[in-house]
């Protein structure tokens, strides 16, 4: 490619200066895209041969395997392609990665992930073979490096979990008189906990693979949807929880610089 | 390899570095959650009154979420939890359902200095990492998040009082009184919690008004803040230096598609 352009970057002015200060030279803006089709999903209670409660017990949370896989695969693919593009450009790291996730109206069952960021090369340190990714701004990266931490990768976990409501909860919360009183709905609460454990487990597994010491800036994004199911003239309100967790894994450098002194400042803007 | 295990935290980089500078290590993201069915209570049409069933529900569900979060911190052996967020969201499916979530980062002091609340429970604080650092350097430490809530029914205006006031500029003493009472009750309860926690004061109080799907005359006032106790006699901070900020509100040039 013969381009006279020195570099392209999605960094702002202050961000660019911060990155340069940390000894990173911007090379090129990079991107990774993945469209993923979600296959047919069987709902948990229909899967059994022995009747609806054969396979799944009441009050249990089950992961919808197809949808869960779709989100996780699509995210990993987009990140992998971004990493690939960065490596082609000869980069050591990618800063300011933004992951965008969406559904399209023109195609159902389609999951889309777009990852964009700025590939940089380190002029001060040898960062090894793997391209380091992070979804932190240039300023944040510069601050981390100054304190002896390095971002090592974007870690994430998604889950789509199905909560099967039990008879106990349905009876208590839906009854004519009992619905007047305050009460917790234990099946739903447990469902949220289960979904979080499922998504978090993927995140920590990836972080362990990267030999990370910690994960910062974790965002938890959840949405819920109800699903009506009728058995023997009783309507059960089941719940589908979609949860996405994303963060940046960091490592502490063994011979890191001493932390800069902090002082209290009064910004004039 | 270090002997410490992996931590996760929703602290931003600034918060993470400042919490460490304050002498603490993050241990993990802790969550407490409760999905709650709020009961029913009818308010008298023309009377100002507290809806105690609803107040009770908001208290109980928040308590459940907070206690579960504290239990997770306890399991991690934490001194406390910083940057706690307490959210209530209505779910449109199901009748009168609300989801209560408390999320924060469990932390432990690096030198093993105990920072727990006088009750022996982990401290909780809804202050950001930045505020936490500043508070500690000013010689205070957080003990617990304190809150007070009050769900109140504001009386409807009767026909007589409407006739008297129609078309005129005038105060509506009935409404004024109702909102005063409701706020006062919420603040009072928060203060009582702080006194029970043996705190010296409360910082960062927020007073939030909300309606969680009730009729328009029913309002919730929710007061929340962080109760603090002094750690030293000296509360002076180094003189702040003036900084001309080069930051733009536009942090990054490219914002995606």
């Amino acid at each position: 490619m013969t381009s006279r352009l020195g570099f392209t970057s999605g960094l702002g002015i202050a961000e660019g200066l911060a990155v340069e200060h940390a000894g990173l030279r911007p090379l090129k803006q990079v991107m990774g895209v993945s469209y993923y089709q979600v296959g047919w999903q069987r709902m948990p209670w229909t899967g059994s041969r022995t009747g609806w409660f054969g396979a799944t017990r009441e009050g249990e949370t089950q992961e919808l395997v197809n949808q869960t896989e779709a989100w996780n695969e699509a995210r990993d693919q987009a990140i992998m392609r971004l990493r690939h593009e960065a490596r082609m450009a000869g980069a050591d790291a990618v800063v300011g990665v933004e992951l965008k996730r969406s559904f399209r109206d023109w195609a159902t069952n389609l999951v889309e992930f777009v990852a964009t960021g700025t590939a940089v090369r380190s002029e001060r340190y040898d960062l090894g073979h793997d391209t380091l990714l992070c979804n932190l701004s240039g300023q944040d990266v510069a601050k981390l490096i100054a304190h002896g931490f390095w971002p090592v990768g974007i870690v994430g976990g998604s889950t789509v979990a199905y909560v099967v409501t039990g008879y106990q909860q349905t009876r208590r919360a839906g009854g004519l008189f009992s619905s007047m009183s305050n009460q917790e709905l234990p099946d739903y609460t447990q469902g949220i906990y289960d979904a979080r454990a499922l998504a978090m487990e993927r995140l920590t597994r990836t972080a362990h693979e990267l030999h990370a010491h910690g994960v910062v800036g974790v965002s938890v994004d959840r949405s819920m949807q109800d699903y009506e199911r009728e058995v023997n003239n009783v309507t059960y309100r089941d719940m589908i929880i979609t949860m996405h967790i994303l963060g940046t894994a960091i490592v502490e450098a063994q011979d890191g610089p001493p932390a800069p002194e902090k002082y209290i400042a009064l910004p004039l803007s | 390899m270090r002997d410490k295990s992996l931590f996760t935290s929703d602290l931003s980089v600034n918060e993470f570095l400042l919490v460490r500078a304050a002498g603490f290590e993050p241990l993990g993201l802790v969550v407490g959650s409760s999905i709650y069915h709020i009961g029913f209570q009818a308010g008298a049409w023309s009377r100002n009154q507290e809806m105690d069933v609803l107040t009770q529900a908001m208290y109980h569900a928040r308590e459940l979420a907070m206690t579960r979060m504290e239990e997770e911190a306890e399991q991690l052996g934490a001194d406390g939890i910083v940057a706690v967020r307490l959210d209530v969201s209505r779910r449109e499916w199901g009748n009168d359902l609300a989801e209560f979530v408390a999320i924060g980062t469990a932390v432990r002091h690096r030198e093993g200095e105990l920072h727990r609340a006088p009750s022996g429970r982990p401290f909780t604080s809804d202050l950001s990492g930045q505020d936490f650092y500043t508070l500690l350097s000013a010689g205070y430490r957080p003990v617990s998040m304190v809150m007070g809530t009050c769900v109140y029914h504001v009386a409807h205006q009767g026909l007589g009082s409407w006739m008297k006031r129609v078309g005129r500029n005038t105060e509506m003493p009935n409404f004024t009184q109702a909102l005063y009472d409701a706020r006062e009750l919420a603040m009072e309860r928060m203060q009582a919690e702080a006194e029970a926690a043996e705190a010296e004061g409360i910082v960062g109080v927020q007073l939030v008004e909300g309606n969680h799907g009730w009729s328009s005359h029913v309002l919730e006032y929710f007061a929340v803040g962080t109760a603090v106790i002094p750690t030293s006699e000296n509360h002076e901070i180094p003189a702040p230096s003036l900084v001309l900020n080069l930051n733009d509100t536009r942090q990054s040039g490219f914002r995606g598609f």
Side-chain angles (χ1 to χ4, degrees), chain B residues 72-134:
Chain B
E72 286 200 1
E74 187 95 52
Q75 278 171 15
L76 291 169
D79 280 334
I81 311 165
V82 296
V84 174
R85 278 165 297 129
L86 193 55
D87 293 329
V88 185
S89 51
R90 282 289 301 183
R91 297 287 157 204
E92 55 279 353
W93 41 269
N95 297 325
D96 307 308
L97 277 193
E99 188 200 10
F100 294 76
V101 186
I103 299 186
T105 297
V107 296
R108 183 169 52 203
H109 195 264
R110 210 175 296 129
E111 260 87 64
E113 206 178 300
L114 204 62
H115 275 79
R116 291 200 168 199
S119 61
R121 312 263 312 153
F123 75 80
T124 47
S125 148
D126 65 343
L127 301 174
S128 65
Q130 288 92 332
D131 281 350
F132 180 67
Y133 173 81
T134 320

Side-chain angles (χ1 to χ4, degrees), chain A residues 115-129:
Chain A
T116 53
T118 302
V120 296
R121 182 151 52 205
S122 173
E123 293 179 326
R124 218 171 289 159
Y125 305 97
D126 179 22
L127 298 186
H129 298 298

Side-chain angles (χ1 to χ4, degrees), chain A:
Chain A
M1 203 171 65
T2 52
S3 166
R4 287 176 51 217
L5 201 61
F7 67 92
T8 58
S9 101
L11 304 172
I13 301 297
E15 200 174 8
L17 290 173
V19 166
E20 289 238 4
H21 178 74
L24 305 170
R25 193 160 56 83
L27 298 173
K28 184 172 182 284
Q29 200 172 15
V30 287
M31 180 175 76
V33 185
S34 174
Y35 280 76
Y36 208 92
Q37 183 182 308
V38 186
W40 293 100
Q41 178 69 57
R42 282 210 303 191
M43 290 303 166
W45 73 89
T46 58
S48 142
R49 271 162 292 157
T50 55
W52 64 271
F53 57 81
T56 309
R57 282 204 310 281
E58 293 187 340
E60 207 176 64
T61 311
Q62 287 224 340
E63 200 162 48
L64 299 181
V65 182
N66 259 346
Q67 297 186 16
T68 303
E69 242 181 44
W71 283 117
N72 283 310
E73 281 284 313
R75 185 193 60 242
D76 289 348
Q77 289 278 346
I79 291 177
M80 203 188 73
R81 288 183 187 140
L82 176 96
R83 186 197 295 274
H84 188 68
E85 225 180 83
R87 196 173 294 162
M88 298 291 277
D92 293 326
V94 184
V95 300
V97 174
E98 287 208 27
L99 261 181
K100 214 180 141 189
R101 182 181 67 226
S102 49
F103 273 120
R104 295 286 177 193
D105 357 330
W106 36 263
T108 50
N109 305 331
L110 203 62
V111 166
E112 179 201 5
F113 262 101
V114 181
T116 53
T118 302
V120 296
R121 182 151 52 205
S122 173
E123 293 179 326
R124 218 171 289 159
Y125 305 97
D126 179 22
L127 298 186
H129 298 298
D130 274 342
T131 314
L132 310 176
L133 302 182
C134 68
N135 50 354
L136 304 171
S137 71
Q139 288 95 326
D140 281 349
V141 174
K143 274 179 259 180
L144 272 182
I145 294 174
H147 285 78
F149 289 94
W150 281 88
V152 282
I154 297 174
V155 288
S158 297
T159 191
V160 184
Y162 189 98
V163 183
V164 185
T165 316
Y167 180 66
Q168 286 295 323
Q169 177 178 304
T170 307
R171 188 174 56 88
R172 271 186 304 169
L176 187 59
F177 297 106
S178 52
S179 71
M180 306 274 280
S181 59
N182 294 327
Q183 58 193 307
E184 191 180 19
L185 300 174
D187 292 352
Y188 291 161
T189 306
Q190 189 55 44
I192 300 264
Y193 271 98
D194 291 344
R196 172 222 177 190
L198 287 166
M200 209 56 165
E201 201 253 318
R202 291 198 172 85
L203 179 135
T204 45
R205 198 169 52 212
T206 328
H208 276 301
E209 279 165 15
L210 292 166
H211 302 292
H213 294 149
V215 181
V216 292
V218 173
S219 65
V220 183
D221 184 359
R222 67 191 190 285
S223 63
M224 293 171 229
Q225 202 193 337
D226 69 326
Y227 204 96
E228 267 181 34
R229 167 171 64 98
E230 201 171 290
V231 181
N232 297 336
N233 291 326
V234 182
T235 308
Y236 292 85
R237 278 175 169 277
D238 291 346
M239 181 166 71
I240 298 174
I241 308 169
T242 310
M243 197 175 280
H244 304 285
I245 303 185
L246 201 71
T248 292
I250 56 170
V251 291
E252 190 168 6
Q254 267 165 358
D255 46 356
E261 203 180 319
K262 287 162 198 71
Y263 52 92
I264 295 173
L266 208 58
L268 293 176
S269 64

Side-chain angles (χ1 to χ4, degrees), chain B residues 11-257:
Chain B
L11 298 175
S12 67
V13 169
N14 284 347
E15 289 182 300
F16 166 66
L17 293 174
L18 284 172
V19 164
R20 276 180 52 91
F24 287 83
E25 288 289 341
L27 298 177
L29 190 68
V30 285
V31 182
S33 164
S34 172
I35 297 194
Y36 203 85
H37 170 90
I38 299 170
F40 177 78
Q41 184 179 16
W45 171 265
S46 57
R47 235 182 48 224
N48 282 335
Q49 64 173 153
E50 185 178 4
M51 310 284 275
D52 50 342
V53 173
L54 305 182
T55 303
Q56 199 56 44
M58 302 307 282
Y59 248 117
H60 184 217
R62 282 202 185 95
E63 194 63 43
L64 282 174
M66 288 292 287
T67 316
R68 283 172 191 161
M69 182 183 69
E70 282 171 28
E71 269 160 21
E72 286 200 1
E74 187 95 52
Q75 278 171 15
L76 291 169
D79 280 334
I81 311 165
V82 296
V84 174
R85 278 165 297 129
L86 193 55
D87 293 329
V88 185
S89 51
R90 282 289 301 183
R91 297 287 157 204
E92 55 279 353
W93 41 269
N95 297 325
D96 307 308
L97 277 193
E99 188 200 10
F100 294 76
V101 186
I103 299 186
T105 297
V107 296
R108 183 169 52 203
H109 195 264
R110 210 175 296 129
E111 260 87 64
E113 206 178 300
L114 204 62
H115 275 79
R116 291 200 168 199
S119 61
R121 312 263 312 153
F123 75 80
T124 47
S125 148
D126 65 343
L127 301 174
S128 65
Q130 288 92 332
D131 281 350
F132 180 67
Y133 173 81
T134 320
L135 188 75
L136 284 177
S137 41
Y140 289 99
R141 70 184 180 87
V143 247
S144 86
M145 247 172 104
V146 287
M147 55 195 88
T149 187
C150 174
V151 184
Y152 206 84
H153 177 262
V154 180
H156 292 252
Q157 204 186 168
L159 187 65
S161 79
W162 180 79
M163 292 288 270
K164 260 195 293 189
R165 293 191 174 86
V166 62
R168 286 169 48 201
N169 283 338
T170 173
E171 194 185 7
M172 309 289 285
N174 191 22
F175 292 171
T176 310
Q177 191 59 45
L179 298 192
Y180 248 115
D181 286 351
R183 282 202 190 94
E184 203 58 56
L185 278 168
M187 299 280 281
E188 223 173 77
R189 285 171 189 160
M190 179 183 69
Q191 281 174 27
E193 277 197 11
E195 273 160 27
E198 297 163 41
E200 191 186 90
I202 309 171
V203 295
V205 174
Q206 295 172 60
L207 191 61
V208 193
E209 183 186 302
N211 178 312
H212 302 280
W214 304 308
S215 79
S216 62
H217 275 242
V218 178
L219 293 170
E220 188 208 13
Y221 282 95
F222 177 56
V224 61
T226 297
V228 297
I229 52 175
T231 51
S232 69
E233 289 295 304
N234 180 20
H235 296 311
E236 293 214 351
I237 54 166
S241 37
L242 302 183
V243 166
L244 204 56
N245 201 344
L246 291 178
N247 269 345
D248 194 348
T249 45
R250 206 181 79 143
Q251 287 271 311
S252 168
F254 188 75
R255 278 272 148 227
F257 297 101

